[in-house]
Amino acid sequence: MICGGGEAEVAILYQLSAVEALRLLDMLQHRPQGPVYTHPKWSSEIPEHVANSDLGNLAELQVGGDQTIVMCLRPKLGECSQAYSKCRGGEGCVSVEEDGKMRYEYGVSGKDEEPGQTFVSGFALEDQRWCHAAVVRDLGSGRLQWYLDGNKCDEVEAEHAMAAVTDCNACVGAGYDGEIRNLQVYDRALGEEELSKLYEQSGVEAMKQVDDLRRRWQGPVYTH
């Protein structure tokens, strides 16, 4: 049986030699697994997005083991807000602090009001400027990691060997002021090479240039 294979791949196998077919099967079975969930775009300035922030208790987001949460975001700093949340004492929650630092929480209580471990980034996001951020929960190695623009910035020991799987609804942008693009949740721990590639493919550098142009051309509101 071909894992993740389709009719086209089966047809190709019939045309290959035994050695070639075995090599292709091995490649298919060991190719990287994509995200279990993707949210392409969210903005606090679009009422439809705000109204549909609640994603419900999706089965694919009930991640109790390894996890990676990746997103491009452009926050308006000033208040602590949740960019993505499932359960602070369960599957995990990503927030942006007032000062631009990012906070990740997960735990085993199974209750949102009783978070387990809190992991705050050493870096701080800039106000209204795009960035590419990721948090990795690698329970196999017992580590939590923060990445900014494809670079690993912070790493601590994971305090829990698992996360509670809960009936809490997942949310995007709960109280968050700003924009989010390409939010991806994985049920595995992505490595440095994969996260670097995701950053390069995100287009965030071009979006940063647009932000810089906006700031450069913000002239006076009145001249006499």
Side-chain angles (χ1 to χ4, degrees), residues 26 41 107 116 144 154 202 216:
D26 183 69
K41 188 175 182 179
L144 302 181
D154 305 286
S202 68
R216 189 178 305 167

Side-chain angles (χ1 to χ4, degrees), residues 133-150:
V135 62
V136 179
R137 185 174 75 207
D138 187 349
L139 300 182
S141 64
R143 310 298 291 176
L144 302 181
Q145 302 165 339
W146 271 116
Y147 284 77
L148 180 66
D149 291 341

Side-chain angles (χ1 to χ4, degrees), residues 16-17 36 38 41 63 70 87 93-94 108 117 139 162 168 193-194 210 224:
L16 301 177
S17 68
V36 295
T38 300
K41 188 175 182 179
V63 181
V70 188
C87 180
C93 173
V94 175
V108 295
Q117 183 173 0
L139 300 182
M162 60 173 290
C168 296
E193 184 176 347
E194 289 178 288
V210 173
H224 195 79

Side-chain angles (χ1 to χ4, degrees), residues 37-123:
Y37 179 80
T38 300
H39 201 88
K41 188 175 182 179
W42 190 95
S43 173
S44 59
E45 297 182 359
I46 300 178
E48 183 180 356
H49 289 184
V50 177
N52 293 287
S53 295
D54 192 329
L55 306 177
N57 186 25
L58 299 176
E60 55 266 40
L61 294 177
Q62 296 174 13
V63 181
D66 291 348
Q67 180 187 68
T68 304
I69 301 173
V70 188
M71 68 184 82
C72 297
L73 67 166
R74 183 177 185 266
K76 294 180 181 180
L77 303 180
E79 295 183 4
C80 181
S81 58
Q82 295 179 346
Y84 168 80
S85 62
K86 179 64 172 71
C87 180
R88 296 167 63 216
E91 297 95 335
C93 173
V94 175
S95 303
V96 180
E97 302 279 7
E98 296 178 7
D99 60 0
K101 291 190 175 182
M102 300 194 72
R103 184 179 74 223
Y104 176 69
E105 298 167 288
Y106 85 104
V108 295
S109 70
K111 299 179 181 180
D112 197 49
E113 63 273 14
E114 295 182 22
Q117 183 173 0
T118 298
F119 178 32
V120 179
S121 68
F123 60 81

Side-chain angles (χ1 to χ4, degrees), residues 118-208:
T118 298
F119 178 32
V120 179
S121 68
F123 60 81
L125 307 184
E126 295 184 53
D127 183 52
Q128 298 185 64
R129 194 165 193 261
W130 283 104
C131 73
H132 185 272
V135 62
V136 179
R137 185 174 75 207
D138 187 349
L139 300 182
S141 64
R143 310 298 291 176
L144 302 181
Q145 302 165 339
W146 271 116
Y147 284 77
L148 180 66
D149 291 341
N151 298 307
K152 184 166 67 174
C153 299
D154 305 286
E155 184 173 23
V156 298
E157 183 178 351
E159 296 176 1
H160 307 290
M162 60 173 290
V165 174
T166 72
D167 57 4
C168 296
N169 286 359
C171 293
V172 175
Y176 173 82
D177 191 8
E179 298 176 72
I180 299 171
R181 291 187 186 177
N182 300 325
L183 167 67
Q184 297 179 323
V185 180
Y186 293 78
D187 61 356
R188 63 187 183 89
L190 271 62
E192 292 188 49
E193 184 176 347
E194 289 178 288
L195 288 166
S196 179
K197 287 182 179 179
L198 286 177
Y199 159 66
E200 292 172 359
Q201 297 167 0
S202 68
V204 75
E205 286 303 317
M207 294 189 284
K208 285 183 180 182

